[in-house]
Amino acid sequence: MNDIRHITFEQLTLPHPKIIAGPCSAESEEQVMESARRLSACGIRMFRAGLWKPRTKPGGFEGVGAQGIAWLKRVKDETGMKVSTEVATPRHVEEVLRGGIDMVWIGARTTANPFAMQEIADALEGVDLPVLVKNPVSPDLELWIGALERLYNAGIRRMAAVHRGFSSLDKSIYRNRPMWGIPIELKRRLPQIEIFCDPSHIGGKRELIAPISQQAMDLGFEGLMIESHCTPDTAWSDAAQQITPERLSEIICRTVIRDKCCRAEDLNELRSQIDKTDDELVELLAHRMKVARMIGRYKRRHNMPVLQRDRYEELLARRTAEAERLGMEGEFMRTLMQAIHEESVRQQMDVLDEHGANDDKL
């Protein structure tokens, strides 16, 4: 499956950064055409609109369905834009193929379901159609890669990934937490794949779209997928995270695109400092684990339990507060210390296992 590293999305020939924009849902032919005309006037070349809308609970607007394909075809004919929509079932795939849709995307709920992904892959087998794959709802990189692999095995070669954030029970300013490390690791594992950012779904609020878009560009993402509606306040779905075409144009104009080809000597020197610091961190962590094993031996001799919960909670709170005082995110330090503590416990348990093994030999 190593060949999946060579998938590409470049044939779509959109200017960098690639922008895909349009309303969350196609609501009426008038709404679709008004949004499309204004987006086209802003220079957008790829139009998006959801025809089938998976909703958490029944009773809400679940999309206009296949009748909206004719509206997208009209957008294509009158504006020259490419058109795209979400598919979640083989029937959706059949409908869009008959309707001449230029591109499809697969939503987070579908990506999370290997059975559904396989059915869609089977429906797309032998079709030369660009496919965007959003990350699964949960922060599961292997599930995301698995969805891409199923499409690759079906012969799809024009694929890209869409980072739309991850659901979390923790309170946050985001609708879906960015967890940037996951798409970064995806890019490391699949260096040729293009990654789009969906700041609308990450932020959940229109005022967050600009800063999230800038962060994505700073991280080297190839494009953005943004929900834009002619009258966002009256949208039938996700009104709070949609913006007007004109506001979208402002955000794009103000977003700074970094030069990926820059190889300044000063930057290399700073990277050398990072490398040196990382080496020192590894050495310090190794020393910490050595001390953890010494503590494990002490606890073994004095018949003490490995886990000292009160000390762990006190240490976690203290280190988190120190990190925040030094300008780091408390959540980052909490996650880091949890990982370090987990490894420390494992080291101590290894000491106990060694003791048990020696007892067995006596």
Side-chain angles (χ1 to χ4, degrees):
M1 186 44 63
N2 289 336
D3 286 346
I4 194 174
R5 292 177 300 172
H6 304 296
I7 59 179
T8 179
F9 203 61
E10 293 177 354
Q11 295 95 324
L12 199 57
T13 63
L14 295 176
H16 182 77
K18 297 177 170 67
I19 307 295
I20 302 168
C24 172
S25 304
E27 301 162 1
S28 67
E29 187 169 7
E30 293 73 21
Q31 170 252 4
V32 167
M33 293 308 302
E34 176 67 15
S35 298
R37 292 189 188 102
R38 287 163 60 181
L39 285 166
S40 179
C42 294
I44 303 301
R45 294 174 57 188
M46 172 60 77
F47 184 78
R48 56 142 290 153
L51 303 182
W52 298 276
K53 299 300 298 180
R55 308 310 294 269
T56 302
K57 294 181 178 180
F61 175 61
E62 296 185 340
V64 298
Q67 69 169 316
I69 292 177
W71 307 345
L72 295 183
K73 187 176 185 303
R74 185 180 168 194
V75 168
K76 185 175 177 178
D77 292 342
E78 294 189 15
T79 69
M81 283 194 287
K82 304 287 187 180
V83 293
S84 61
T85 195
E86 178 178 350
V87 294
T89 70
R91 183 177 64 83
H92 296 165
V93 173
E94 294 170 6
E95 297 280 7
V96 300
L97 291 178
R98 280 199 299 268
I101 301 301
D102 298 293
M103 183 186 75
V104 297
W105 77 83
I106 296 170
R109 290 179 175 89
T110 307
T111 305
N113 185 336
F115 293 109
M117 277 304 312
Q118 189 58 55
E119 290 179 351
I120 291 173
D122 292 342
L124 286 167
E125 188 168 5
V127 176
D128 183 24
L129 187 73
V131 181
L132 294 164
V133 182
K134 291 195 173 186
N135 62 255
V137 175
S138 60
D140 189 333
L141 177 59
E142 299 305 324
L143 199 56
W144 199 0
I145 292 176
L148 292 163
E149 288 180 345
R150 290 177 189 277
L151 293 169
Y152 185 88
N153 289 343
I156 300 298
R157 294 297 181 268
R158 292 195 284 167
M159 282 188 285
V162 180
H163 174 46
R164 48 80 74 193
F166 302 92
S167 297
S168 173
L169 295 177
D170 298 332
K171 291 184 178 180
S172 169
I173 64 170
Y174 304 105
R175 177 180 177 182
N176 296 293
R177 287 181 178 272
M179 298 186 185
W180 296 107
I182 294 177
I184 290 172
E185 176 61 14
L186 176 68
K187 189 71 170 181
R188 187 190 72 80
R189 299 262 295 271
L190 303 176
Q192 298 304 316
I193 195 168
E194 294 191 355
I195 303 183
F196 287 69
C197 178
D198 179 350
S200 304
H201 278 90
I202 291 177
K205 296 184 284 288
R206 58 180 64 114
E207 59 268 25
L208 292 177
I209 290 176
I212 295 170
S213 296
Q214 184 62 66
Q215 290 175 48
M217 293 298 99
D218 290 346
L219 290 170
F221 283 38
E222 282 78 16
L224 300 168
M225 188 180 205
I226 298 178
E227 293 185 349
S228 180
H229 191 292
C230 54
T231 53
D233 290 333
T234 65
W236 295 0
S237 59
D238 289 344
Q241 67 188 42
Q242 300 194 62
I243 56 177
T244 65
E246 292 72 28
R247 175 56 182 151
L248 172 64
S249 181
E250 292 176 5
I251 290 174
I252 294 171
C253 289
R254 294 178 182 176
T255 299
V256 178
I257 309 301
R258 311 298 178 188
D259 184 0
K260 293 184 180 181
C261 297
C262 180
R263 293 292 184 270
E265 292 183 4
D266 290 346
L267 180 59
N268 289 334
E269 171 59 29
L270 291 172
R271 285 173 173 165
S272 296
Q273 292 183 40
I274 287 287
D275 291 342
K276 181 175 182 294
T277 302
D278 286 346
D279 291 341
E280 293 171 352
L281 281 173
V282 172
E283 292 178 3
L284 286 171
L285 285 171
H287 177 70
R288 191 188 195 283
M289 297 310 158
K290 181 179 179 180
V291 174
R293 293 180 69 85
M294 294 169 63
I295 291 173
R297 295 188 184 97
Y298 181 91
K299 290 178 178 177
R300 183 190 66 195
R301 288 196 303 270
H302 294 83
N303 198 30
M304 296 172 62
V306 168
L307 186 60
Q308 304 287 319
R309 186 165 298 279
D310 289 344
R311 167 168 166 74
Y312 172 56
E313 293 297 337
E314 184 272 333
L315 180 147
L316 204 57
R318 179 151 47 91
R319 296 290 184 260
T320 301
E322 290 172 357
E324 291 175 340
R325 181 176 60 81
L326 293 171
M328 289 181 284
E329 288 286 339
E331 182 182 355
F332 158 73
M333 182 53 64
R334 188 175 185 86
T335 301
L336 177 62
M337 292 306 300
Q338 286 171 338
I340 291 173
H341 181 261
E342 182 178 335
E343 177 62 15
S344 296
V345 169
R346 190 189 69 79
Q347 294 279 350
Q348 293 183 38
M349 292 298 293
D350 282 351
V351 170
L352 296 180
D353 290 342
E354 290 171 2
H355 178 63
N358 290 334
D359 287 346
D360 290 341
K361 294 176 183 177
L362 295 177

